[in-house]
Each structure stands twice: as structure tokens, then as C-alpha cells.
Amino acid sequence: MSEKRTRWIREVIETIALTLLVLFLIRLVVQGFRTDGYSMDPDFHNGEYVLVNKAAYLFGQPQRGDVIVFHYPLDPHEVFIKRVIGVPGDTIHTTSTTVTVDGDQLSEPYISTPFNYDNRTWKLGPNQFFVMGDNRENSLDSRIWGPLDRGYIIGRVVAAYWPVNEVGIITSYSSVFAAIRATP
């Protein structure tokens, strides 16, 4: 075999190996997920595809307002998407129509109907997060099964990419949570 042909074969193999390595690394950091259900309406719809940054919380914690994907604590084979309302150390209080975090009532532009099942209070411990769906009337979330343990979190939703009319970067509505004390 000629030296030129050997060099060409080696370059093709190197290119394929490098491409596979890059794809593998991307898959470790970013993953697509399909939303299932209506708990995040009106911002996310059933069957919509979103990109999740799985490395977002390697060196930090989820923040209030982040939309996250996580393993459902009561059945870790299921994957849920919800919004972070409370972080470790927070006290969350709900009435039938309001949510307060550390005494500050939230004005939530991302929900269509304010609705809670009952008046309750939760004090979040270390590595616990309070998550709620944006469609409060149709959401299986922390109001029902309690705080979410950090270990169940897969990553932060950063963008919607399908269907095409839903393409966009995800906002965390940080202004909604601006008055609440800084996270620890």
C-alpha cells in the first residue's frame, strides 16, 4: 500500500474518531427531552422538545425560576419538567391562590390560573428544592409529593427546539424572585 493511501486512511480514521468523541462529549452535556403532559402550559406544550444542559449545576445550584428536568422521586424511571420555586433554606407557603417564598408573595406571569390544593407550608432542608408546574391546576409537583432532592435533578432547560413555531431560549423570570433573599 502506498504511503499516500495509508496517510489518507489514517486521516479518515482520525476524523471519524474525533467526530465520535465530540458527539459523545456533547451528549454528556446537552440532551433533548420531550415534554409529556400539560403541567407546564402555557410556556411548554405536550410533545414539545427541549434542550437540557446537564452540566449546568456541576458547579452551582438550581436557582429560583429555573426550569429543570428531573427524575420523578416516586418513580425515577419517569422524567418531569417543572419550575424551581424554592431553594435550600427557603420557606414556601401556599394558599388557594398565592405562593410566598420566605414571606414574599410571588407575582407569577408564567402561570395562567393561580391555583393550589390547600394552605400549606414547607421548610426546605439542605439539597431540597420546591418545584411547581406552570399549569397549577394540572401539575403533579412538590405541593403533592414534597420537596425535590438535589440528586434527582438532571439539568436546566435552556431552549425549546421543536416544533419550529416554539423555538426559543427559556427565561427564568428572575425578576419574579428578585425581592427574595439571595440563595445560600
Side-chain angles (χ1 to χ4, degrees), residues 54-120:
K54 297 188 320 185
Y57 304 126
L58 287 177
F59 303 108
Q61 294 282 13
Q63 300 297 306
R64 294 180 202 94
D66 286 357
V67 176
I68 63 170
V69 168
F70 59 92
H71 296 285
Y72 176 42
L74 302 181
D75 182 0
H77 293 96
E78 290 190 54
V79 176
F80 280 15
I81 178 173
K82 304 286 183 217
R83 187 176 304 278
V84 175
I85 302 299
V87 297
D90 283 351
T91 299
I92 312 298
H93 178 74
T94 60
T95 67
S96 62
T97 58
T98 65
V99 176
T100 59
V101 178
D102 288 345
D104 291 311
Q105 184 174 324
L106 301 181
S107 174
E108 302 174 285
Y110 43 82
I111 65 172
S112 54
T113 304
F115 172 84
N116 294 304
Y117 302 105
D118 54 13
N119 293 347
R120 274 197 70 192

Side-chain angles (χ1 to χ4, degrees), residues 1-102:
M1 201 182 305
S2 73
E3 183 179 326
K4 187 175 185 181
R5 184 177 172 118
T6 304
R7 184 177 318 132
W8 181 83
I9 291 172
R10 182 180 49 83
E11 287 177 5
V12 167
I13 292 171
E14 286 174 353
T15 301
I16 291 170
L18 183 61
T19 302
L20 291 174
L21 177 64
V22 168
L23 289 174
F24 175 74
L25 291 174
I26 289 172
R27 179 75 171 155
L28 283 176
V29 175
V30 178
Q31 186 172 350
F33 282 91
R34 181 181 179 270
T35 59
D36 187 20
Y38 301 94
S39 71
M40 290 299 288
D41 280 347
D43 285 338
F44 299 91
H45 308 290
N46 186 44
E48 188 172 340
Y49 285 85
V50 296
L51 284 178
V52 176
N53 179 349
K54 297 188 320 185
Y57 304 126
L58 287 177
F59 303 108
Q61 294 282 13
Q63 300 297 306
R64 294 180 202 94
D66 286 357
V67 176
I68 63 170
V69 168
F70 59 92
H71 296 285
Y72 176 42
L74 302 181
D75 182 0
H77 293 96
E78 290 190 54
V79 176
F80 280 15
I81 178 173
K82 304 286 183 217
R83 187 176 304 278
V84 175
I85 302 299
V87 297
D90 283 351
T91 299
I92 312 298
H93 178 74
T94 60
T95 67
S96 62
T97 58
T98 65
V99 176
T100 59
V101 178
D102 288 345

